[in-house]
Amino acid sequence: MMNRLARPLLAALCLAGCASAATATDLIPTADFARHAPITDPLLSPDGQHVSVAYHDPDGKTHGLAIFAITDMSKPITLIRMPPYELPADVMWTSNTRLVVARGKIDGSIGNKTYTGELMAVDIDGKNPDYLYGFEAVGKRTGTRALDRGWGYLDGKPPQSNGHFYMRSVSWENQDRSTLYDVDAKSSARRQMADIGIGYMTFMVDPEGTPRFTYGVNTDHKWVVYRRDTNGGWAKVDMDSEHKRFTPLAQVAGSKRMYAEYSPNGIGGALVEQDEDGGNVRIIRKDAFSDVSSTGLWTAQPARPFATRAETGLPTVTYVDPQDPTAKLHMAISQKFPGYAVNFNSFSEDGSELMFTVWSDRDPGRVMLINTKTFKVSALYTVAPWIDPARMAERRPLHFKARNGEELEAILTFPKGKPETNLPMVLMPHGGPFMEQDSWGYDDTAQFLASRGYLVLQVNFHGSSGRGHDFSEEGYKKWGTLLQDDLIDGVKWAINEKFADASRVCVFGGSFGGYSALMAPIREPGMFKCAVGYAGVYDLPMQYDKGDVQENKRGRGYLELTLGTDQAMLIANSPARNADKLNLPILLVHGEDDERAPFAQFKAMKAALDAAHKPYETLTKSGEKHGFVKPENIEEFFNKMAAFLDRNIGDGAAGKAAAP
């Protein structure tokens, strides 16, 4: 039976509108999949009257900070553009009228977002800008700015905005130390709160402003957690096999208890409430297959998780207490949007205004505002208004058994309007390979391929995130072996289940996926009829000489841990060193200014194919980095790939086979 809260809310939500039921048989323009969302990362102001967003120009290179009044999302009251490839990596409202922005850079459309270490502050109207932290000699603290030879990060703020925020910094000269400050965003004055002799740690601060825990990866790339002791020092938290990757989340308001997540025995995940010393554990949710997440499922202040969802499969919500008012609100909104997931983005500090997002496998999302007292709903914006969800393809998470009997997750995107049997299929491995995963939500590339008639297979192979501590680490130093076997086993499963036609399978991926696009055919000759490598790494030893990963001590340590240093193994698992084994049509696509998988990787693969007298096609673009960002370049790439696939596994290939 519908609860009493749901009835008025469902009526109010009619104002927000629902997905169009219109259908069409004509081909969706490639340009619709190449466009960028104009605004992302919405954050509600403390009083609930304004929203900040990351703004993105259509060119894909220019980003900035935009601020809107919630009563008029048609035009920002403030728009601050940033230099090319720079973007607001993190934003925090320190009061109703002032924000702090952490500056960042992105290396192309599939590149990682990195922080420059600079923090800026600005009023809501764009006035009184100040440079709070960084190496430039500007702002109110010009005289002491030379001391800021490091990186600054936003690390939280008080529950009730008072113009201050918490800043974590790491010095360039001493990267083995993390320091936490309380910073006044208006005067830029700082007060040290804590420090620890390990770099790049995150601090958990309680509602009273006392740092309780700090956690992160140490110089040996091991996950460590420390608890503040009674003397103001730090005591290491012992993470036994039962509590791998233990992560403090937040203090339980008005108590000495806390919320935390961890990977039980390294398998799957758990969300718990417990004493700070680890006693009196109450398991909120535990999952033997998947990590457990509470992201987007927290109440207003005093904040607590009201629900959880697994990090794999469909984003099904489990409520901590179904009778909780916030849980009821979430249920009611979810009832209005069947087939959608609902995230609570941010509340006003008094809890009266809530900004939420609804999204699905076929809809990039819509952002709305609801008054929690009157249930009045306002539709703020649609993430990609040119996308008609009714014309998009279903994405279906499924499980299959790998050759060793272990259960893995696959996501299949089925071309709309076609029978689900004997389809031409594209295997699409994700990048990373670590700290990345494929999920059920909207994927523009998978949707593009499905719109052209292809079944798309994505496999969360060993090394992927979302499956617990051990699943990720089992992929270390196995780029060309175990990870490729998982992908190949996924293809065999899709064929055995009659989803895919064994004679029409290609592989396409970007970054690590680009590596897999050429390594999987070497590992399993004859399985794939063509391969598309996009911004790929093709020569593993080169990773230690070129690219931005190896440029510092931590990056090289990460390569040694996850890739290994055995030269014979690296060479044996490098497509560029085994080009003679590639007996299939190949398309190589790369940005000439790529910093993550440098253009030298493309050159090495091309030279190897030439030396082995193997045919191939290429598409390269100057001014593009790790993944194209210019919509016209993405559109050209997608069209070229579609034609390439058509010739090899599509209707074009079928036509050639039928010709006398």
Side-chain angles (χ1 to χ4, degrees), residues 89 111 236 349 471 483 577 579 583 635:
K236 190 173 183 179
E349 285 186 356
F471 187 83
L483 277 59
R577 308 295 184 102
N583 298 307
E635 184 176 358

Side-chain angles (χ1 to χ4, degrees), residues 22 33 56 122 207 269 282 297 322 377 387 392 519 582 603 638:
F33 301 101
H56 312 286
V122 66
R282 177 175 74 89
L297 300 170
V377 177
I387 294 294
M392 295 297 111
M519 193 64 214
L582 287 166
K603 291 179 177 179
F638 278 3

Side-chain angles (χ1 to χ4, degrees), residues 391-520:
R391 301 184 66 188
M392 295 297 111
E394 177 195 357
R395 289 169 55 75
R396 191 182 305 167
L398 297 167
H399 290 184
F400 70 92
K401 292 285 183 70
R403 64 189 65 185
N404 63 359
E406 188 171 359
E407 199 169 14
L408 300 179
E409 182 188 40
I411 298 174
L412 287 174
T413 305
F414 290 90
K416 193 173 181 65
K418 285 198 170 188
E420 295 182 358
T421 56
N422 296 317
L423 290 163
M425 186 175 77
V426 177
L427 169 67
M428 194 169 80
H430 65 69
F434 308 103
M435 297 181 286
E436 298 283 348
Q437 71 181 105
D438 288 311
S439 60
W440 169 80
Y442 182 86
D443 185 311
D444 54 5
T445 307
Q447 289 289 354
F448 168 72
L449 292 171
S451 76
R452 269 51 183 170
Y454 299 103
L455 174 70
V456 181
L457 169 64
Q458 294 166 282
V459 175
N460 281 318
F461 44 79
H462 283 85
S464 303
S465 59
R467 290 287 310 278
H469 176 275
D470 288 359
F471 187 83
S472 180
E473 292 201 349
E474 284 168 6
Y476 287 178
K477 302 177 183 178
K478 299 172 184 174
W479 283 39
T481 53
L482 176 62
L483 277 59
Q484 304 309 312
D485 289 345
D486 287 350
L487 293 167
I488 291 162
D489 290 349
V491 173
K492 291 179 178 178
W493 162 79
I495 292 170
N496 290 337
E497 292 294 315
K498 308 299 184 184
F499 293 130
D501 179 348
S503 67
R504 295 191 293 165
V505 179
C506 278
V507 55
F508 152 67
S511 197
F512 171 81
Y515 164 82
S516 293
L518 272 68
M519 193 64 214

